[in-house]
């Protein structure tokens, strides 16, 4: 296994373990697995540290138990309805040789799932369509499976309830992602420490919060890698719902922005009672959010939300990157009419 593949898989397993804890496993072995699955459970093998992460083999396969609610393996007294006599619904990921760098997609396999065969095949194909080279799919696939569990399209249920599950059911958009009406954005890779973000569906689907967004032309910083680019996105905001709508618009409806290495941002607005509301976020580019916030403050602009998307080109820019990030954001403020071009 080449070194870069080994590093990327270790980083992804670390993120999966942080997110799912004990639900990340090296096998199907758990308290709900029936004896018919015993053949699928490989016997323990001794691996060096370079071949595994915390006992999970880098070569795969990886197993993620798909629970509808956070539960403790030591306290599983029937409160989790995603488990049943056939076991806990589980996603198995069989890795392709150069995953996540190669074009060959890993193979998703669902265990302990009661689902119509045609629907199951279509769903697995949907998962594979998500994959592109250089994208970590573990969390993305697992969360998509959880959505499907919560929608009722798949479930770990007793055979007595199979007819009920075979009925045609269409999930309500207000129940997508979970019963609390939240839609989750999961970054395409864990490599750049980007944030997992949660959005209220009743806000991001409400047209009254819709914003007109200005986008700057791509900027290629000097002495950067060939694919390095930065783009600013700017819009007017007067409440947090505006901010949420705009950010969700970027992440869910623009594939290029969603795949950016970082989407750092800052906003400030005066709300109805006259108080100033402001905040910022680095999105893994440490220190960039505060630089954008300082720019808004120094320029005395109000009621504005600015996002800078960066696509890393392979060459580290050092501290100079903050100058370029702020410069691109300033261009966006000028282009949007929030700032005069001669403003210093």
């Amino acid at each position: 296994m080449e070194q870069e593949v080994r590093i990327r898989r270790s980083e992804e397993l670390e993120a999966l373990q942080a997110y799912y804890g004990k639900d990340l496993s090296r096998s199907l072995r758990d308290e709900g697995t029936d004896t018919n699955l015993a053949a699928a459970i490989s016997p323990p093998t001794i691996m060096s540290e370079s071949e595994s992460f915390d006992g999970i083999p880098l070569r795969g396969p990886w197993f993620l138990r798909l629970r509808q609610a956070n539960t403790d393996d030591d306290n599983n007294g029937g409160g989790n309805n995603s488990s049943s006599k056939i076991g806990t619904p589980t996603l198995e990921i069989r890795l392709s040789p150069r995953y996540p760098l190669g074009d060959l997609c890993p193979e998703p396999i669902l265990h302990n799932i009661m689902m119509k065969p045609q629907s199951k095949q279509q769903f697995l194909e949907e998962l594979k369509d998500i994959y592109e080279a250089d994208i970590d799919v573990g969390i993305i696939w697992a969360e998509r499976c959880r959505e499907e569990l919560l929608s009722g399209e798949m479930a770990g249920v007793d055979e007595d309830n199979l007819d009920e599950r075979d009925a045609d059911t269409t999930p309500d958009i207000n129940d997508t992602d979970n019963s609390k009406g939240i839609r989750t954005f999961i970054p395409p890779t864990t490599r750049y420490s980007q944030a997992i973000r949660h959005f209220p569906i009743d806000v991001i689907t409400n047209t009254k919060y819709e914003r007109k967004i200005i986008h700057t032309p791509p900027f290629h910083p000097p002495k950067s890698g060939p694919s390095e680019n930065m783009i600013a996105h700017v819009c007017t905001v007067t409440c947090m719902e505006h901010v949420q709508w705009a950010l969700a618009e970027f992440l869910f409806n623009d594939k290029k922005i969603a795949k950016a290495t970082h989407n750092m941002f800052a906003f400030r607005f005066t709300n109805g009672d006259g108080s100033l509301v402001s905040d910022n976020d680095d999105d893994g580019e440490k220190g960039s959010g505060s630089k954008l916030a300082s720019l808004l403050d120094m320029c005395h602009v109000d009621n504005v939300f600015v996002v800078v998307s960066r696509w890393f080109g392979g060459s580290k820019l050092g501290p100079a990157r903050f100058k370029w990030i702020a410069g691109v954001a300033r261009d966006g403020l000028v282009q949007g009419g929030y700032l005069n071009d001669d403003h210093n």
Side-chain angles (χ1 to χ4, degrees):
M1 186 186 301
E2 59 187 278
Q3 182 65 11
E4 188 174 359
V5 170
R6 181 179 289 109
I7 292 171
R8 289 292 300 276
R9 291 186 183 183
S10 296
E11 291 174 345
E12 183 173 4
L13 282 171
E14 184 177 10
L16 287 168
Q17 187 179 70
Y19 202 70
Y20 297 108
K22 294 180 181 179
D23 285 338
L24 172 65
S25 174
R26 58 169 293 174
S27 75
L28 277 172
R29 184 184 292 110
D30 71 17
E31 67 280 5
T33 303
D34 67 21
T35 55
N36 292 329
L37 295 173
I41 302 173
S42 57
T45 56
I46 299 175
M47 295 174 289
S48 68
E49 290 186 4
S50 63
E51 296 175 322
S52 66
F53 176 86
D54 201 21
I56 309 294
L58 296 183
R59 67 180 182 278
W62 301 341
F63 296 86
L64 282 164
R65 293 196 287 271
L66 306 169
R67 302 183 187 273
Q68 292 183 17
N70 292 328
T71 60
D72 192 317
D73 285 344
D74 297 327
N75 184 21
N76 203 15
N80 179 14
N81 61 7
S82 67
S83 298
S84 70
K85 289 188 294 187
I86 66 169
T88 304
T90 300
L91 169 67
E92 176 185 354
I93 304 175
R94 295 188 179 178
L95 306 180
S96 47
R98 297 193 67 246
Y99 171 82
L101 303 182
D103 293 326
L104 184 61
C105 180
E107 188 69 24
I109 299 173
L110 292 171
H111 299 278
N112 301 335
I113 291 296
M114 304 298 289
M115 195 176 189
K116 289 187 286 188
Q118 183 178 359
S119 299
K120 183 176 181 180
Q121 186 58 39
Q122 289 176 347
F123 180 70
L124 292 174
E125 290 300 321
E126 177 190 325
L127 293 183
K128 288 194 280 190
D129 286 343
I130 295 173
Y131 178 74
E132 294 181 12
D134 205 39
I135 288 182
D136 303 338
V137 295
I139 293 179
I140 299 174
W141 281 3
E143 291 305 297
R144 182 66 189 89
C145 289
R146 280 181 163 180
E147 289 180 11
E148 201 75 359
L149 276 170
L150 287 162
S151 75
E153 291 296 319
M154 71 159 71
V157 296
D158 297 339
E159 292 185 4
D160 294 341
N161 295 326
L162 182 57
D163 291 340
E164 181 181 339
R165 289 294 177 180
D166 278 344
D168 182 22
T169 57
T170 303
D172 189 314
I173 191 170
N174 291 321
D175 294 327
T176 301
D177 207 28
N178 65 39
S179 59
K180 297 178 182 178
I182 299 295
R183 187 174 182 189
T184 300
F185 171 77
I186 302 171
T189 178
T190 59
R191 190 177 187 183
Y192 301 110
S193 303
Q194 296 160 279
I196 295 174
R197 303 191 185 279
H198 307 282
F199 297 89
I201 291 174
D202 60 346
V203 170
I204 65 176
T205 59
N206 194 326
T207 56
K208 77 176 183 179
Y209 299 125
E210 188 172 338
R211 302 284 86 195
K212 180 181 179 181
I213 301 170
I214 303 295
H215 307 275
T216 62
F219 170 73
H220 181 71
K223 300 181 180 179
S224 62
S227 59
E228 178 88 30
N229 270 312
M230 296 181 185
I231 297 177
H233 324 279
V234 183
C235 66
T236 299
V237 296
T238 57
C239 62
M240 281 306 303
E241 287 80 4
H242 289 160
V243 174
Q244 292 169 334
W245 187 95
L247 189 56
E249 177 69 12
F250 300 142
L251 299 180
F252 293 124
N253 297 323
D254 191 313
K255 291 183 178 180
K256 182 179 179 181
I257 297 176
K259 293 178 182 178
T261 311
H262 305 287
N263 287 301
M264 60 286 284
F265 63 81
F267 62 85
R268 54 183 279 148
F269 60 84
T270 302
N271 64 18
D273 64 6
S275 59
L276 180 66
V277 179
S278 63
D279 204 352
N280 65 85
D281 192 292
D282 297 335
D283 197 37
E285 183 73 279
K286 189 174 181 179
S288 61
S290 61
K291 297 293 184 183
L292 293 176
S294 296
L295 173 69
L296 299 183
D297 184 50
M298 288 188 295
C299 293
H300 304 292
V301 292
D302 196 13
N303 296 339
V304 65
F305 177 43
V306 58
V307 180
V308 175
S309 300
R310 179 190 178 190
W311 291 266
F312 178 58
S315 299
K316 294 184 178 180
L317 301 180
R321 68 189 186 279
F322 296 118
K323 175 176 69 175
W324 305 128
I325 290 169
V328 169
R330 184 186 180 282
D331 289 345
L333 294 174
V334 171
Q335 186 175 323
Y338 301 93
L339 192 65
N340 294 328
D341 196 14
D342 59 355
H343 185 100
N344 292 320

